[in-house]
Amino acid sequence: SNSMGYASREPTLHNGEKMAYAKRAALAVLDQLGDRDLVAAIAFDSQPYELGALLPAGECRAALAARIQQIQYGGGTDFKEALEIARRRLAASGRPVRHVILLTDGDSNRSAEDHAAVIAALARAEITVTSIRIGSDTVNLDLLDAISRATGGVFHHVEDVQQLPQLMIRDAQRLLGRASERREMP
């Protein structure tokens, strides 16, 4: 959204830095994945944009990284449809560990109630969501926390965007460890 391009009330945050750190964090997660781990990315502003289909990272890493680097800020913020697309793709994957990282500055064009059906569908499909809210303001903190709690994921409010890449790497490593444990189970 346009708001990813401006610094808001952060005196140390320059215009465009939220988007730059969001891209850096997404690329760091992509680098953590094994070649057989499935990965996709969906950018969103007023509508979702699939940057790459759900494929093994070894097959799509370079192309997906290039598409992530090309993301530009603009438009409004509506992550509901992006979550719905992610839910459908992950539910069809048949993988035992299915996870979404929702990275946003939070100011959605929709009300919190508009997200109830997709949150319930994610929970039913056992798809966890880590919601990461970038920025110092508090718009939609409750909604993002509710998405994560309902799905068994984790919510983070990140005011210092410089922490974002490491936070997302830790989240990816936690999930990769969980996937490894599930593969070892009889």
Side-chain angles (χ1 to χ4, degrees):
S1 67
N2 276 326
S3 58
M4 288 293 282
Y6 56 81
S8 67
R9 298 185 309 232
E10 284 294 319
T12 60
L13 191 63
H14 303 288
N15 287 342
E17 280 193 304
K18 282 193 277 187
M19 179 62 81
Y21 276 98
K23 289 182 195 181
R24 196 175 302 163
L27 293 169
V29 169
L30 186 57
D31 286 342
Q32 294 293 307
L33 299 175
D35 286 345
R36 293 186 359 219
D37 293 323
L38 297 183
V39 64
I42 304 168
F44 57 88
D45 52 27
S46 299
Q47 61 185 348
Y49 304 93
E50 289 187 79
L51 302 179
L54 189 61
L55 294 170
E59 295 176 21
C60 68
R61 192 182 321 268
L64 191 53
R67 288 185 192 111
I68 290 169
Q69 290 169 334
Q70 293 172 353
I71 297 171
Q72 299 293 314
Y73 49 85
T77 303
D78 186 355
F79 48 79
K80 178 184 176 278
E81 293 304 320
L83 285 173
E84 181 57 36
I85 292 168
R87 183 200 60 77
R88 287 193 310 265
R89 302 291 186 263
L90 287 168
S93 75
R95 294 290 176 106
V97 175
R98 298 173 299 206
H99 186 69
V100 172
I101 299 173
L102 173 58
L103 181 58
T104 180
D105 63 356
D107 194 6
S108 177
N109 296 346
R110 295 182 188 252
S111 70
E113 297 80 31
D114 289 343
H115 297 84
V118 72
I119 294 168
L122 286 160
R124 279 191 309 273
E126 297 180 353
I127 298 170
T128 57
V129 179
T130 292
S131 300
I132 302 173
R133 169 66 164 83
I134 304 170
S136 60
D137 58 349
T138 58
V139 174
N140 284 325
L141 289 180
D142 291 339
L143 169 60
L144 296 168
D145 185 44
I147 292 169
S148 293
R149 272 187 291 110
T151 62
V154 180
F155 168 70
H156 301 280
H157 183 194
V158 178
E159 293 185 41
D160 179 1
V161 293
Q162 294 178 2
Q163 297 174 8
L164 191 55
Q166 279 304 103
L167 174 70
M168 288 181 62
I169 288 170
R170 283 193 309 271
D171 188 65
Q173 289 172 339
R174 177 181 60 82
L175 287 162
L176 291 171
R178 204 169 97 201
S180 178
E181 289 171 12
R182 285 196 176 184
R183 281 192 295 266
E184 293 170 7
M185 294 174 127

